[in-house]
Amino acid sequence: FDELRRLQFDLETTGLDPERCRIFMISVRYPNGETEVLEIHGRGDEAEARLIRELNERIGAADPDVIENHNLHGFDLPFLDRRSRKLGVPLVFSRTGQAGLRQRAARRGLANTAGDGRRVRYVAPGRELIDTMDAVIRYDFSTRSLPGHGLKAVAKYLGFASPDREYIKGSQV
């Protein structure tokens, strides 16, 4: 585990609906601890497509063993997957170079497109996709003390957020 290569990313979007809304920024933390903010340059589909291609390139170059995010399977991957399909830019997160993400059955995750009530999670062959929301839910199941499961609420509760951190509502970003 000492040599485990971890990468985190987080999307910033213009809203919650991938059919109408866009990705305009992606924050990345690389295995060496460095961070980068990928921003959209220009307007329209091609600018957003370029941003997704940049993320593909960064993940490929960093070659992480693990990709982490809070609510990865509940928001970021489904949103990213839908936008990439809509824009015709395949996601290449796997180590095999295979385009697109695979899906597997899961208890907690995205409702599958078959409409049969089953839930799915994404898989990127050769990499582990870790959703920190799972750990938060398990923690709260045992303690029943969290004010919510969102990243900001949890960071504040666990003392990870600095006291002078400014919180801005999503609608005001």
Side-chain angles (χ1 to χ4, degrees), residues 6-171:
R6 299 168 51 211
L7 178 141
Q8 299 83 33
F9 78 89
D10 186 44
L11 304 181
E12 296 302 328
T13 65
T14 58
L16 301 177
D17 180 2
E19 294 301 321
R20 297 180 308 110
C21 303
R22 296 180 175 274
I23 301 165
F24 67 89
M25 186 184 307
I26 305 172
S27 300
V28 183
R29 182 178 183 273
Y30 296 102
N32 65 5
E34 291 180 18
T35 60
E36 182 178 19
V37 176
L38 308 175
E39 295 184 72
I40 200 164
H41 298 287
R43 294 183 179 261
D45 289 351
E46 183 47 40
E48 185 181 12
R50 196 171 328 130
L51 186 63
I52 294 170
R53 283 192 291 272
E54 283 182 47
L55 179 62
N56 279 334
E57 291 168 10
R58 299 309 196 279
I59 289 173
D63 192 27
D65 302 308
V66 176
I67 297 174
E68 304 164 336
N69 175 298
H70 192 76
N71 204 15
L72 181 68
H73 294 285
F75 179 75
D76 292 79
L77 281 181
F79 197 100
L80 187 57
D81 183 55
R82 184 66 199 116
R83 293 304 301 163
S84 70
R85 288 175 189 270
K86 189 171 184 121
L87 298 168
V89 179
L91 293 177
V92 187
F93 284 13
S94 75
R95 279 195 164 135
T96 63
Q98 176 186 5
L101 297 171
R102 294 183 186 170
Q103 294 183 359
R104 68 168 174 81
R107 283 190 185 162
R108 196 182 79 73
L110 181 69
N112 73 7
T113 54
D116 58 10
R118 291 185 305 149
R119 307 204 67 67
V120 295
R121 290 216 170 188
Y122 291 97
V123 176
R127 303 192 201 285
E128 189 66 31
L129 302 176
I130 295 181
D131 190 334
T132 57
M133 177 82 81
D134 295 332
V136 166
I137 290 170
R138 283 193 302 274
Y139 177 86
D140 196 37
F141 179 79
S142 63
T143 64
R144 305 276 191 222
S145 61
L146 291 177
H149 297 149
L151 190 57
K152 290 175 186 167
V154 172
K156 199 172 188 180
Y157 174 85
L158 295 175
F160 295 137
S162 64
D164 60 341
R165 178 172 177 171
E166 186 175 345
Y167 290 95
I168 302 170
K169 293 180 181 179
S171 61

